[in-house]
Amino acid sequence: MARKTTQTRKALTTVAAWSIGFLIFFPILWTVLMSFHSEGDAIKGPFAMLASPWTFESYGEVQHRSNYALHFWNSVVISFGSTLAALVIAIPAAWAMAFVPGRRTKDLLMWMLSTKMMPSVGVLIPMYLMFRDFGLLDTRSGLVAVLTLINLPIVVWMLYTYFKEIPGEILEAARMDGASLRSEILHVLTPMAVPGIASTVLLNVILAWNEAFWTLQLTTSDAAPLTQFIASYSSPEGLFYAKLSAASTMAIAPILILGWFSQKQLVRGLTFGAVK
Amino acid sequence: MQAYWKRSQRKLAPWLFLAPGLAMFALYVIIPIFQSMAISFYDWDGLGEKIWIGTANYVELIDDDAFYTSLKNNVIWLVLYLLAVPAGLMIAIFLNQTVWGIRAYKSLFFFPFVISQVVVGLMFSWFYAPNFGLFYKLIETVTGDGVAILADERFVTYGIIVAGLWPQIAYVMILYLTGLNNVAPDQVEAARLDGAKGWRMLWYVILPQLRPATFIAVVVTVIGALRSFDLVSIMTNGGPYGSSRVLSFYMYEQALSEYGYRMGYGAAIAVVLFAIMMVFISGFIWKMWRDETER
């Protein structure tokens, strides 16, 4: 009897849980579904759209109208470039904070993270002027620089959390064996922190890939990543939902696949390493 | 020189290592803040002559209705966004039992997070779209009368917030689900033997062990609420009649959009925004951080 009730209960919770999951996943599913219907069918209402014939025409038109490969490549360069640049700056800084902590280290960390709470638009005017004056508007290098800056706090914070878990004695031992500072960091610390660094890289690539504010403000065409590619299908004359969905699907597919295969690292990244 | 470096390398290295990071922060945070402050005292279109007008921008701001609408919306954003924390916690606790296919299931919650805000905004615009959007149809079926959420001054801000909450709740859920893996089962068992159940169990036994997760959840939620700019600009452009503006969007509209290139006025809004942030948000986060580390 008792066994039966728990079975029923389990079935019920499973059904409820999958319903929540479906609800969470639904907007994405819908976008993908919509991308396979024609523009006219997409605005007929939900059921009429599902009943209408499937077609690839939206994808064809998007291919025809914009240069997906260029935007894709821009996104790759910008997200990986900025993540690598941030790592180069952050690894030494996180080392200093984790292994040579001062009285103010924690405050410094917190201050860095608090800058993430600053709305980007607050620094838009000065940044925009700086970009204009240096001729960096609509260039990939300009965007890499900006995304490095905005993701740096998170990279430092995450690396700090991971480095903290590595016992200082190991570095101490390497030092005793005559390892220079450079090899201590490059050959002892970094290899041990590889899982943490991987999570950090992954999270930041995703954050940079999705970054919409600066990419939309500072690029127009040449350096425009996929966010700009999607936005170009939402025109003031009205939205082209089917084409928009096709563009969105093409833009998010690479990152969804990346996320799917690296969920474990991603979870650590998402929790900033603070929750195990 | 070389000898000096060899001798004091260990002492100097931490400072040298922190320097590039700090320099970058100065470039991105400190210099722009002071620059914004300076610009806020001028009347300037970004290209021509700057004209010193003292505090006139701020005086204008005090009587600007649009400013108060935006400020009110910012508060609504922040308050409603924080609901993502308890909502995510509830779902996580609910899911933290044996559910068939939990591994595949959890993946569903990753997807909203890895999607750009641009896509989120556009997806929800479709849901709300009059005459054919799913949500519109739903309301029409239930109440007999459809509401164009994004064109209605009463609902527009809430409609955008729902779009933002969608990935946010999924994120918080993942955080708590990860945290729940770590809750010590023996403590839960001991509390159960002592007769703790339901809310009391949650409040006194489980939540204290979830504090790191709660800290991160609050931090990312506040960050998310302040990023309202992206969704507002994608979904409504501040409309209808400016009713869904938030401060950051209003600032952008004043300073850099075709509505005017009033850099000075925009900078004044930015300065007010900074001031509000410093007082409320950093104070609040600071306290949580202190509690967290001095425990």
Side-chain angles (χ1 to χ4, degrees), chain A residues 10-84:
Chain A
K10 196 177 168 191
L12 279 178
T13 37
T14 304
V15 170
W18 279 93
S19 315
I20 300 176
F22 181 72
L23 210 64
I24 290 283
F25 187 61
F26 184 75
I28 300 168
L29 178 68
W30 193 258
T31 306
V32 176
L33 287 177
M34 192 147 57
S35 69
F36 288 109
H37 292 277
S38 73
E39 204 64 71
D41 292 334
I43 55 168
K44 273 186 186 157
F47 297 107
M49 187 199 92
L50 285 181
S52 65
W54 291 56
T55 161
F56 281 97
E57 76 176 43
S58 306
Y59 285 94
E61 269 183 65
V62 168
Q63 248 338 331
H64 183 71
R65 271 179 46 172
S66 32
N67 189 348
Y68 176 75
L70 171 78
H71 298 303
F72 175 80
W73 181 241
N74 283 340
S75 273
V76 170
V77 170
I78 290 165
S79 45
F80 282 89
S82 65
T83 304
L84 284 182

Side-chain angles (χ1 to χ4, degrees), chain A:
Chain A
M1 186 61 203
R3 194 177 159 75
K4 195 163 176 224
T5 40
T6 48
Q7 281 293 326
T8 323
R9 227 197 112 155
K10 196 177 168 191
L12 279 178
T13 37
T14 304
V15 170
W18 279 93
S19 315
I20 300 176
F22 181 72
L23 210 64
I24 290 283
F25 187 61
F26 184 75
I28 300 168
L29 178 68
W30 193 258
T31 306
V32 176
L33 287 177
M34 192 147 57
S35 69
F36 288 109
H37 292 277
S38 73
E39 204 64 71
D41 292 334
I43 55 168
K44 273 186 186 157
F47 297 107
M49 187 199 92
L50 285 181
S52 65
W54 291 56
T55 161
F56 281 97
E57 76 176 43
S58 306
Y59 285 94
E61 269 183 65
V62 168
Q63 248 338 331
H64 183 71
R65 271 179 46 172
S66 32
N67 189 348
Y68 176 75
L70 171 78
H71 298 303
F72 175 80
W73 181 241
N74 283 340
S75 273
V76 170
V77 170
I78 290 165
S79 45
F80 282 89
S82 65
T83 304
L84 284 182
L87 267 191
V88 170
I89 301 171
I91 288 181
W95 171 85
M97 287 181 177
F99 298 110
V100 200
R103 224 157 30 89
R104 293 257 159 242
T105 301
K106 292 230 145 150
D107 296 345
L108 187 65
L109 255 181
M110 196 56 221
W111 178 69
M112 279 188 180
L113 194 66
S114 71
T115 61
K116 278 302 285 181
M117 280 162 231
M118 185 179 65
S120 311
V121 77
V123 291
L124 179 60
I125 298 176
M127 286 298 250
Y128 187 87
L129 297 175
M130 218 188 294
F131 264 64
R132 194 189 63 191
D133 296 344
F134 286 110
L136 287 171
L137 287 172
D138 204 18
T139 61
R140 282 197 288 250
S141 38
L143 268 192
V144 167
V146 142
L147 292 188
T148 304
L149 286 174
I150 61 171
N151 284 334
L152 194 58
I154 291 186
V155 178
V156 172
W157 176 283
M158 285 177 70
L159 289 178
Y160 169 80
T161 336
Y162 295 125
F163 286 179
K164 278 295 266 194
E165 286 169 18
I166 293 167
E169 291 84 43
I170 297 182
L171 300 189
E172 195 89 37
R175 212 171 300 162
M176 292 297 174
D177 290 344
S180 71
L181 194 57
R182 217 190 89 191
S183 68
E184 175 189 326
I185 292 178
L186 271 183
H187 300 137
V188 184
L189 176 65
T190 308
M192 274 196 295
V194 159
I197 293 177
S199 304
T200 312
V201 167
L202 198 63
L203 182 72
N204 278 281
V205 165
I206 291 176
L207 286 177
W209 188 280
N210 289 335
E211 211 292 323
F213 179 74
W214 292 108
T215 51
L216 292 181
Q217 299 302 333
L218 299 176
T219 66
T220 44
S221 56
D222 291 349
L226 289 168
T227 43
Q228 187 72 266
F229 161 76
I230 306 167
S232 70
Y233 284 92
S234 90
S235 69
E237 305 92 62
L239 299 170
F240 298 104
Y241 285 105
K243 285 194 266 301
L244 199 56
S245 303
S248 302
T249 308
M250 287 162 86
I252 61 183
I255 211 76
L256 284 187
I257 293 165
L258 182 70
W260 175 272
F261 282 114
S262 49
Q263 276 177 38
K264 237 178 105 190
Q265 286 75 24
L266 192 60
V267 172
R268 279 212 82 184
L270 285 176
T271 59
F272 289 42
V275 187
K276 262 160 258 131

Side-chain angles (χ1 to χ4, degrees), chain B residues 16-288:
Chain B
L16 285 177
F17 285 177
L18 283 175
L22 291 177
M24 299 284 268
F25 281 117
L27 188 70
Y28 177 62
V29 180
I30 300 176
I31 295 174
I33 288 179
F34 281 100
Q35 227 172 346
S36 286
M37 282 184 194
I39 295 174
S40 74
F41 294 109
Y42 288 92
D43 183 17
W44 187 37
D45 63 2
L47 293 168
E49 192 85 10
K50 279 190 216 173
I51 303 158
W52 171 268
I53 51 167
T55 55
N57 282 326
Y58 293 94
V59 174
E60 187 183 339
L61 207 55
I62 291 174
D63 280 324
D64 188 345
D65 285 339
F67 170 72
Y68 291 106
T69 310
S70 316
L71 187 61
K72 191 189 86 198
N73 283 339
N74 266 97
V75 175
I76 297 176
W77 268 87
L78 196 58
V79 171
L80 290 184
Y81 243 64
L82 284 171
L83 288 180
V85 178
L89 176 64
M90 289 303 139
I91 301 178
I93 287 178
F94 174 67
L95 292 179
N96 196 39
Q97 30 195 344
T98 34
V99 168
W100 280 309
I102 187 74
R103 277 178 66 100
Y105 177 83
K106 276 189 198 167
S107 325
L108 295 181
F109 281 78
F110 282 95
F111 292 132
F113 174 75
V114 294
I115 286 182
S116 166
Q117 296 268 22
V118 181
V119 181
V120 174
L122 294 171
M123 276 179 195
F124 276 81
S125 304
W126 185 86
F127 283 130
Y128 295 141
N131 299 326
F132 56 88
L134 191 65
F135 198 72
Y136 179 89
K137 285 279 185 205
L138 206 65
I139 294 179
E140 204 179 30
T141 321
V142 175
T143 65
D145 206 10
V147 180
I149 303 267
L150 295 183
D152 192 313
E153 290 182 44
R154 287 168 301 166
F155 304 124
V156 61
T157 297
Y158 302 100
I160 305 173
I161 293 173
V162 167
L165 276 178
W166 170 60
Q168 197 65 37
I169 289 177
Y171 189 162
V172 173
M173 201 299 290
I174 295 174
L175 272 174
Y176 276 124
L177 212 52
T178 319
L180 280 171
N181 280 338
N182 272 22
V183 169
D186 48 331
Q187 284 191 30
V188 176
E189 200 48 46
R192 183 166 292 147
L193 289 177
D194 286 344
K197 267 204 289 256
W199 289 108
R200 289 170 61 84
M201 172 76 98
L202 177 65
W203 190 256
Y204 291 108
V205 183
I206 298 180
L207 269 186
Q209 298 189 54
L210 288 176
R211 280 176 69 161
T214 306
F215 174 68
I216 301 289
V218 171
V219 170
V220 295
T221 306
V222 171
I223 294 177
L226 291 166
R227 272 212 318 240
S228 45
F229 179 92
D230 302 0
L231 283 176
V232 171
S233 68
I234 291 157
M235 293 177 73
T236 64
N237 245 314
Y241 311 113
S243 55
S244 64
R245 282 183 193 128
V246 286
L247 276 184
S248 49
F249 188 83
Y250 186 47
M251 194 222 102
Y252 171 76
E253 215 176 62
Q254 288 295 323
L256 290 165
S257 78
E258 58 266 40
Y259 294 105
Y261 283 87
R262 300 184 63 199
M263 296 280 178
Y265 197 54
I269 301 172
V271 170
V272 172
L273 196 56
F274 284 136
I276 296 173
M277 293 252 331
M278 296 245 214
V279 176
F280 291 102
I281 290 141
S282 12
F284 168 66
I285 300 287
W286 195 264
K287 193 185 161 300
M288 270 192 86

